[in-house]
Amino acid sequence: MGSVAVVGAGPAGLTVARELSRMGHDVTVFEEDEVIGRPEHCAGLYSLAGLRKIGAWSTSYVVNAVRGAVFTSSRGKELLVERPAPIAVVARREELDRYLAELAVSKGADIEIGRRVESVRAQGNLSLLLNGEWRRFDAAVIAEGMRRTLTRSIYGPLRASTPIPIAQSLIRGHGLDPDRVYVWFEPYLEDYFAYAVPLNEELARIGLASRSDTLGLLKKFTDTRFAGAKTLGYQIHTLWLDGPLDIGLDGRVVLVGDCAGQTKPLTGGGVVVGGLCALSAARHVHALLEEGKDGTYRKLVRWIYADLRATKFLRDELNRRVGVDALIELASDSGIGKELSVLGDMDFHALSLLRSLPSLSGLRFIVGLLAALF
Ligand SMILES: Cc1cc2nc3c(=O)[nH]c(=O)nc-3n(C[C@H](O)[C@H](O)[C@H](O)COP(=O)(O)OP(=O)(O)OC[C@H]3O[C@@H](n4cnc5c(N)ncnc54)[C@H](O)[C@@H]3O)c2cc1C
């Protein structure tokens, strides 16, 4: 057994900490903020199956359950993907993080809050700099989220990419069906989308991703789609939507979660995907410390990374060559929404499409796509 430092008490770091503690390692999580789960930066939508897979399921943080999603093209055509029973939950994210922290502590992890890791020395003796003092560990898991400060300091310059700004607000009086979440491809949103995640009959989190004027566009979206609603405050965040990095998968310092790009390229959701990768990272660290065996993480996340990269490729190519609107309309006309409703997986989008293609509606979708492409 060995000593493992985890940087960041978000869902990815806390999941690794829980697993490694359960395996008997001496785990310390360092979190720079004073309160776990704050500041909150999430729409709070997670697949039920995904939460179960990552060992994070509990009713304690749930505020709503949803059965499906409605995607609306800029010309108003709808694609409905829906199940008879709930497929996802809407959560209070702070409480989810707190629950994950309790689980990690119950397995033996130590969490030091208000403790920022200033630097990581990965050569020679592995050490972390905290309050001007170097502390040695056998392995380290970097789960620092969006910022990638330590990630860059360890691995050098990363591939050129820019995070996508996302503005989110809470509104009262949404008038939507609280059993569904909603995605709109508005004519004034060139690259990305707007969404609504109802918390109940009255309240919904709404948000919008766009490379420029994100807040201005969210206000415009709110005024047009939710004219009668009351806005209860805005927040601005950023998201990585460009797929996983090919670093931090080997050796005694590994990356998990947002800093590794483990988020869904279509929606930016990262709690379940990052959590699944965190389970693999924990097995990797365990194999390395117990048997000196490297390569487990890279091998275990191969299929997850393949799906994320295929999803990004499809998004970019189809967006460039066909356009989101045409795709939504094609999907709606072909009837593939029915296949997606049954066979789709909220966390793996390329796989969902692949599963839905061998069907009559899938065939209609492919024929329509080919006609649009050539
Ligand atoms: C507006 C918005 C809506 C979203 N909606 C959803 C959604 O509905 N569903 C979904 O699945 N995902 C969603 N996401 C994405 C999701 O929030 C992230 O994928 C998830 O939080 C990633 O978890 P993480 O543990 O990698 O990072 P984080 O949750 O960001 O945690 C990283 C932690 O590391 C700490 N930290 C950073 N640097 C240091 C340091 N040097 N020393 C000590 N501590 C440090 C930070 O304080 C932070 O607590 C959304 C994101 C945004 C911005």
Side-chain angles (χ1 to χ4, degrees):
M1 298 299 148
S3 60
V4 185
V6 176
V7 184
L14 292 168
T15 303
V16 175
R18 180 195 74 216
E19 287 302 293
L20 282 169
S21 304
R22 192 179 57 75
M23 291 169 188
H25 298 280
D26 183 7
V27 179
T28 313
V29 182
F30 299 106
E31 170 53 54
E32 67 181 4
D33 288 331
E34 297 290 340
V35 180
I36 287 178
R38 282 194 215 155
E40 216 175 281
H41 53 95
C42 206
L45 181 73
Y46 317 111
S47 74
L48 259 169
L51 288 172
R52 288 197 173 108
K53 277 190 223 161
I54 65 170
W57 169 242
S58 157
T59 49
S60 63
Y61 50 73
V62 172
V63 288
N64 190 17
V66 297
R67 293 189 296 119
V70 185
F71 301 84
T72 307
S73 77
S74 71
R75 289 189 287 251
K77 195 151 216 172
E78 288 188 351
L79 169 69
L80 174 65
V81 180
E82 193 166 60
R83 294 247 169 111
I87 185 175
V89 294
V90 183
R92 283 181 291 261
R93 169 63 191 270
E94 183 183 339
E95 288 179 23
L96 167 63
D97 286 14
R98 270 215 303 269
Y99 174 70
L100 291 172
E102 279 162 21
L103 284 182
V105 169
S106 75
K107 300 292 172 202
D110 273 340
I111 303 181
E112 297 190 14
I113 54 166
R115 297 279 270 154
R116 192 170 84 83
V117 175
E118 293 146 53
S119 183
V120 174
R121 198 157 55 198
Q123 311 301 328
N125 290 326
L126 171 62
S127 320
L128 270 60
L129 185 64
L130 288 129
N131 291 347
E133 215 180 283
W134 288 98
R135 280 173 64 174
R136 275 177 62 175
F137 291 90
D138 296 319
V141 179
I142 313 298
E144 62 176 337
M146 264 301 300
R147 277 199 321 249
R148 292 183 171 166
T149 313
L150 295 174
T151 305
R152 279 198 187 83
S153 78
I154 300 166
Y155 297 96
L158 307 175
R159 72 174 171 221
S161 65
T162 38
I164 309 302
I166 181 160
Q168 188 170 284
S169 66
L170 183 67
I171 59 165
R172 186 186 295 283
H174 53 72
L176 301 168
D177 177 350
D179 272 5
R180 295 171 174 169
V181 293
Y182 296 78
V183 180
W184 288 270
F185 299 92
E186 300 288 6
Y188 49 87
L189 288 177
E190 277 180 19
D191 303 321
Y192 297 100
F193 54 86
Y195 59 82
V197 176
L199 307 188
N200 51 37
E201 299 269 347
E202 262 197 292
L203 295 172
R205 294 182 186 125
I206 63 167
L208 174 150
S210 166
R211 284 197 187 276
S212 57
D213 191 22
T214 320
L215 196 52
L217 290 176
L218 180 62
K219 287 180 178 159
K220 176 173 175 173
F221 170 71
T222 315
D223 288 346
T224 48
R225 289 271 169 203
F226 301 99
K230 184 172 168 29
T231 298
L232 307 171
Y234 293 97
Q235 293 172 320
I236 292 266
H237 310 273
T238 47
L239 279 175
W240 294 111
L241 288 175
D242 55 358
L245 300 173
D246 197 38
I247 52 168
L249 294 171
D250 310 285
R252 24 179 221 159
V253 181
V254 292
L255 302 175
V256 292
D258 277 15
C259 62
Q262 294 165 350
T263 53
K264 296 182 268 186
L266 279 186
T267 60
V271 168
V272 167
V273 172
L276 291 171
C277 294
L279 298 181
S280 303
R283 283 176 63 185
H284 166 87
V285 172
H286 182 66
L288 196 73
L289 297 182
E290 287 302 285
E291 304 158 36
K293 192 173 127 204
D294 203 351
T296 310
Y297 191 15
R298 187 173 285 280
K299 196 166 134 205
L300 289 175
V301 295
R302 203 171 43 206
W303 294 109
I304 300 177
Y305 275 36
D307 187 85
L308 296 177
R309 287 181 178 139
T311 303
K312 177 187 177 310
F313 174 80
L314 288 172
R315 181 201 71 195
D316 291 348
E317 279 304 297
L318 296 179
N319 204 358
R320 190 171 61 81
R321 300 184 59 181
V322 184
V324 175
D325 265 341
L327 270 178
I328 296 290
E329 296 185 1
L330 193 58
S332 171
D333 293 342
S334 67
I336 201 171
K338 283 208 181 71
E339 310 298 327
L340 286 168
S341 298
V342 179
L343 302 168
D345 183 322
M346 252 182 79
D347 297 310
F348 295 101
H349 297 146
L351 176 72
S352 299
L353 184 62
L354 199 68
R355 279 183 186 160
S356 305
L357 290 181
S359 61
L360 194 57
S361 51
L363 197 65
R364 278 199 295 264
F365 179 74
I366 292 176
V367 171
L369 190 58
L370 290 174
L373 281 170
F374 303 105

